Each structure stands twice: as C-alpha cells, then as structure tokens.
Amino acid sequence: MIVLRYCLGYDTAEIADVIGITGAGVRSTARYARRRLKQALGLDEEERTRDG
C-alpha cells in the first residue's frame, strides 16, 4: 500500500479497488503503516528531540 500510494501515486479509491478494501480502510492502514515505518527507521525519536 505504501508503494502504491507514495511511489506510484495511486489515490485512495484506486488502492481500495486494487486491494479490495474500503477507502476508510486504505486511509487507516496507510496511517498505521507510516507510523510503523517511522518507528522502524528511528524517525519518531528524532521528531521528539526536535519538538521537546
């Protein structure tokens, strides 16, 4: 989903059609995936130190 959205430029409706879930499911899954990716890359810690 991350590749479809951010690398290939698919919109929510296109991703929903490809994967077979609702638009709300696409948005929710993308939000969760971005959070997990930021954690895996250590970017969430970096933001905390800049903000705090």
Side-chain angles (χ1 to χ4, degrees):
M1 178 175 314
I2 294 297
V3 171
L4 293 175
R5 181 178 290 259
Y6 298 105
C7 295
L8 299 177
Y10 282 35
D11 66 22
T12 300
E14 291 171 319
I15 296 169
D17 286 341
V18 169
I19 295 178
I21 61 175
T22 65
V26 170
R27 290 186 298 275
S28 176
T29 303
R31 184 173 48 250
Y32 179 73
R34 285 184 55 185
R35 186 181 312 139
R36 293 286 309 263
L37 185 56
K38 285 172 73 172
Q39 288 172 347
L41 295 173
L43 299 176
D44 59 335
E45 296 296 324
E46 184 178 305
E47 286 181 12
R48 287 186 196 144
T49 58
R50 276 190 284 158
D51 293 340

